[in-house]
Amino acid sequence: MNAAEKVTSPHAADVLRELHAYRAAEEAMRRRTRNSMKMGENDLAALRFLLRAQGQGRVVTPGMLADHLGMKSASVTVMLDRLTKSGHLTRGAHPTDRRSIAVSATSGSDDEVRATLGEMHRRMLGVASHLDQDGSEIVRRFLLDLATAADGVATA
Amino acid sequence: MNAAEKVTSPHAADVLRELHAYRAAEEAMRRRTRNSMKMGENDLAALRFLLRAQGQGRVVTPGMLADHLGMKSASVTVMLDRLTKSGHLTRGAHPTDRRSIAVSATSGSDDEVRATLGEMHRRMLGVASHLDQDGSEIVRRFLLDLATAADGVATA
DNA sequence: CACTCGTTACTAGTTCGCCTAGGTTTGGGC
DNA sequence: GCCCAAACCTAGGCGAACTAGTAACGAGTG
């Protein structure tokens, strides 16, 4: 038995505290954004998904949004009604499948999202850039282990 | 101009990807837990808050829960009705203020939460323990910078 | 003591968002 | 040409949070 297994480092708790503080800060920031845009969680996630896909020239259908957000297609329909009414997106004809529909974000919505989440992403990229090669390797390993730990927790 | 400012490290994007993966994993784990307990986001957060305070011998009132969860006191009342009905907590007399109420978690609810979130916490502590002193310093700095970045994003 | 004002929690009624169930149009294999 | 599956929409219901208004109590003041 080596020391790392048996004794929890005195710094471990500090690291978790810092992790928790970060999560709280990010969550608060997302809530501010949602309040500012007067939207729910899924509405904003849908817009982000849409803008990212649009940036890669991919067509987005309501069904794809349902899969990505984990909601039923009927709920997506209502969400699209909502976001269309608020001027954030439009429904268009699907290029190949006439049963389906092509959803696209309006330019205004694009600007609005970029102004907040884009800024956030830039800042985070800046933070990550300050890591040297060893540092980024350590952080990546840490995050990977955390994700693995979360995945491994049984639902009981 | 130094390289770290001008050129974003090729690893920076990888770190952010890993961060996103971790967030997704943790979120999924929390959702599994909530589904397993048949509770909403706030219900579980309230229980955690309650258990933590109880462990420190502090009395929790509905008003404190409202502040901590960011909801209105009326909504807390209904939530307490819900959680009382499901056997997760009880309302008792407040020791000093007879307008108020002392909320306390049942032992069954204690066990239930510990079985899942406690397990998660142990695993995370294990991951953090594998960092040496330099490593934990690097990670903490990284997380602190991220939190600062999130805090600094204006709502526009 | 009597009054007043703020605090604390609750009740009633509304809103918002997601779900289930069922219907309509189109795609694609036989 | 037929039939089943796929994709979206409509209708109705439910859960959870909000607003507004009520009742009981605490604390300070004349």
Side-chain angles (χ1 to χ4, degrees), chain B residues 42-43 70-72 74-75 82 96-99:
Chain B
N42 283 335
D43 296 50
M71 27 191 289
K72 298 301 173 188
S75 310
R82 197 164 55 233
T96 61
D97 192 335
R98 289 205 303 172
R99 288 169 306 177

Side-chain angles (χ1 to χ4, degrees), chain A residues 9-11 15, chain B residues 128-140:
Chain A
S9 150
H11 304 296
V15 172
Chain B
S129 298
H130 282 73
L131 293 168
D132 59 20
Q133 182 150 357
D134 287 351
S136 71
E137 183 56 38
I138 289 172
V139 169
R140 271 174 39 197

Side-chain angles (χ1 to χ4, degrees), chain A residues 103-114:
Chain A
V103 183
S104 46
T106 62
S107 62
S109 148
D110 188 312
D111 296 344
E112 200 171 7
V113 172
R114 276 188 208 288

